[in-house]
């Protein structure tokens, strides 16, 4: 299956963006979804794991959710800061043994 | 604190094999718990999971690469390795090693491998 994300989203500082991650086949609820942030020249870091859990150190401006009706997961960033400008990737599993990344979304803070 | 460091060939000729090693510090691979993964990112493109190995030697590979990939582990050196055969220009990418314990963390810094004659 594939995980499809919008190519890019943009918003002003202080605003809110929501990035979708739509699963092409199978139920989005059947496997946990993770979200990673990647700044240019750096390795990705985890922002959300197990659908809606934040690792220590990740601000509560970042939240994750899953919607079975649209078969998609979402990452919401509120109170946008310039430091949030980065690429974001969702990730899930197939048969619990094959890992799949989403296509990636570039977030621009205007 | 668990840390990973990739090492290996930076330039590989077409049709040859790419070989990379990831050295793990801060945790013993033999202790279990983690899966040890390889992930790559072509220049300007997204992330692609290549495969993983457990301390037991159990592996899983991306179906799109499975015929060309071997991941192995050396517990005595606390390292795991990637071998990708019959490379082409499409295999040019930054290659990351990463541990998985509920999510991919930690990651190595990544190493650029260029396929070129």
């Amino acid at each position: 299956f594939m995980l499809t994300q919008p190519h890019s989203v943009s918003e002003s500082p202080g605003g809110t963006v929501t990035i979708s991650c739509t699963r092409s086949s199978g139920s989005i609820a059947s496997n946990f979804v993770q979200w990673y942030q990647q700044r240019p020249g750096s390795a990705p870091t985890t922002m959300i794991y197990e659908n809606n859990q934040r690792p220590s150190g990740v601000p509560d401006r970042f939240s994750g959710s899953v919607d079975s009706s649209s078969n998609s997961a979402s990452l919401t960033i509120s109170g946008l800061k310039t430091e949030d400008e980065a690429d974001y990737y969702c990730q899930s599993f197939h048969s619990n043994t094959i890992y799949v990344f989403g296509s990636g979304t570039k977030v621009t803070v205007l | 604190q668990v840390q990973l460091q990739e090492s290996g060939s930076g330039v590989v000729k077409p049709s040859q094999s790419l070989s990379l090693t990831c050295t793990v510090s801060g945790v013993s691979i033999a202790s279990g718990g983690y899966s040890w993964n390889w992930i790559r990112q072509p220049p300007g493109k997204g992330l692609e999971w290549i495969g993983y190995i457990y301390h037991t030697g159990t592996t899983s590979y991306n179906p799109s690469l499975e015929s060309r990939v071997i991941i192995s582990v050396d517990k005595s050196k606390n390292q795991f390795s990637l071998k990708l055969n019959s490379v082409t220009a499409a295999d040019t990418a930054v290659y990351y090693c990463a541990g998985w314990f509920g999510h991919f963390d930690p990651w190595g810094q990544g190493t650029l491998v260029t396929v070129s004659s």
Side-chain angles (χ1 to χ4, degrees):
Chain A
F1 68 89
M2 294 190 304
L3 296 171
T4 301
Q5 301 177 230
H7 182 71
S8 62
V9 296
S10 59
E11 183 55 81
S12 303
T16 298
V17 295
T18 297
I19 303 167
S20 61
C21 171
T22 302
R23 182 165 171 156
S24 62
S25 62
S27 171
I28 191 71
S30 62
N31 302 100
F32 285 132
V33 176
Q34 282 63 237
W35 290 91
Y36 302 90
Q37 177 192 72
Q38 186 181 32
R39 295 194 173 104
S42 296
T45 60
T46 306
M47 307 309 285
I48 297 288
Y49 68 98
E50 293 181 0
N51 296 341
N52 55 20
Q53 303 299 302
R54 280 187 308 276
S56 60
V58 174
D60 60 6
R61 302 185 295 104
F62 291 83
S63 62
S65 63
V66 170
D67 179 6
S68 294
S69 65
S70 60
N71 213 34
S72 65
S74 295
L75 173 70
T76 298
I77 312 171
S78 58
L80 267 173
K81 300 184 176 184
T82 54
E83 66 203 48
D84 299 331
E85 192 161 284
D87 294 326
Y88 291 83
Y89 295 90
C90 60
Q91 174 263 313
S92 191
F93 314 88
H94 173 63
S95 302
N96 285 325
T97 58
I98 305 296
Y99 294 52
V100 180
F101 283 100
S103 47
T105 298
K106 181 176 180 61
V107 171
T108 302
V109 182
L110 301 169
Chain B
Q1 180 185 1
V2 182
Q3 293 183 313
L4 281 62
Q5 178 67 57
E6 304 91 350
S7 60
S9 50
V11 180
V12 183
K13 291 181 174 10
S15 80
Q16 295 191 346
S17 296
L18 172 164
S19 294
L20 296 173
T21 296
C22 183
T23 301
V24 180
S25 60
V27 70
S28 169
I29 287 178
S31 65
Y34 282 89
S35 68
W36 303 102
N37 294 260
W38 287 99
I39 295 159
R40 70 180 183 178
Q41 185 171 37
K45 296 187 177 180
L47 300 167
E48 180 180 34
W49 176 75
I50 298 170
Y52 69 60
I53 190 165
Y54 278 96
H55 68 292
T56 56
T58 299
T59 55
S60 178
Y61 300 130
N62 188 323
S64 68
L65 297 169
E66 188 168 16
S67 63
R68 299 193 291 131
V69 173
I70 299 174
I71 297 177
S72 57
V73 65
D74 186 338
K75 287 177 281 188
S76 68
K77 294 182 178 179
N78 221 36
Q79 295 175 334
F80 63 104
S81 298
L82 169 70
K83 184 176 182 182
L84 181 64
N85 296 319
S86 305
V87 299
T88 70
D91 295 309
T92 293
V94 174
Y95 285 76
Y96 295 99
C97 56
W100 171 277
F101 195 85
H103 55 104
F104 287 119
D105 178 67
W107 295 65
Q109 65 185 24
T111 186
L112 175 63
V113 178
T114 302
V115 178
S116 173
S117 55

